[in-house]
Amino acid sequence: MESEYTLFNLDEGPIGVFDSGYGGLTILNEIRKEMPQYDYIYLGDNARAPYGTRSFKVVYEFTVQSVEKLFKLGCPLVILGCNTASAKALRSVQRYYLPRYAPDRRVLGVIIPTAEVVGAMSRTHHIGVLATQGTISSESYNMEIAKQEPDAVVTGLACPMWVPIIENGEADKPGADYFVKDSIDKLMAMDPLIDTIILGCTHFPLLMDKIRKYVPEHVKLVPQGKYIARSLQDYLRRHHEMREKITMGGSCTYYTTEQADKFQESAALFLNEDAQNLDVHHVDLRGMI
Ligand code: DGL
């Protein structure tokens, strides 16, 4: 039977960063600060966001379509800048898809690098995780943190309203306050000993001002970008065969499944950049597989 996927050789090209929408920009931003010398391609599947309530099968299919697109655009290495895709699709992508279709390319996620650093940040060893329904029900954070800190008590809460608020440009509007406060109060009531909260969805730092407002002062907030950037830097230091395949020019090109001008405007706000400086293209992922 003919394969539904394309076979990829290892090419030179940019680092690909993928998310269901705007959230991965918080990861891209930190990666670019740490390693401005490389070229990057960002892909946001905004037209099909949010992924948070979708099934394993659908998240896997959408993730493979996006990874394939980034491979076709030449990326030797793709970061899933999305916890939901990291929780629900990464393992299958690494175990089944890559060995068959792109054995020399790599796809990395955001959960393990976060789980590796969070234990050391908590004094009480009571850690909270705010994320999408998909990430929470996968229990990926509980499992990965337990590997590093077997004594840690991890309490997760799904915040299903937060991603739609951000994708719809409502993050700084007063209506968002209700949903942010409600989820934080619920999490702290579930375990009042929590002293560290992982923002386990890459969209959530875009609500940072409001989150800070409602989190008790002694509680540490952990957005992931910085840790993902450091972990990637370390990975590239250890894998020279991959490092040598990443092109250097400092460029960044953006692709979205939504309208390019809509993405350009919102992404510019999130990145604090002039919209005209963002090179944005529309892409259609349907029919990729
Ligand atoms: N930003 C993503 C995450 O980190 C996905 C949000 C969504 O599409 O629901 O989980």
Side-chain angles (χ1 to χ4, degrees), residues 142-164:
N142 306 59
M143 290 185 282
E144 294 304 334
I145 294 171
K147 285 183 197 162
Q148 314 287 333
E149 293 271 324
D151 295 337
V153 178
V154 180
T155 305
L157 180 75
C159 309
M161 291 304 293
W162 291 19
V163 172

Side-chain angles (χ1 to χ4, degrees), residues 19-20 23-24 49-53 81-85 132 135 163 200-203 224:
D19 181 45
S20 62
Y51 279 14
T53 48
C82 175
N83 289 266
T84 311
T132 64
T135 301
V163 172
C201 170
T202 55
H203 279 69
Q224 303 169 281

Side-chain angles (χ1 to χ4, degrees), residues 142 180 209 235:
N142 306 59
V180 171
D209 291 347
Y235 175 87

Side-chain angles (χ1 to χ4, degrees), residues 124 188 192-196 215-221:
T124 61
M188 293 310 296
L193 292 181
I194 288 172
D195 71 346
T196 306
V215 164
E217 222 169 289
H218 71 280
V219 173
K220 215 173 285 164
L221 290 172

Side-chain angles (χ1 to χ4, degrees), residues 13 17 41 107 139-140 156 160 197 235 260 274:
V17 177
I41 294 181
V107 177
E139 302 212 335
S140 300
I197 298 178
Y235 175 87
D274 187 344

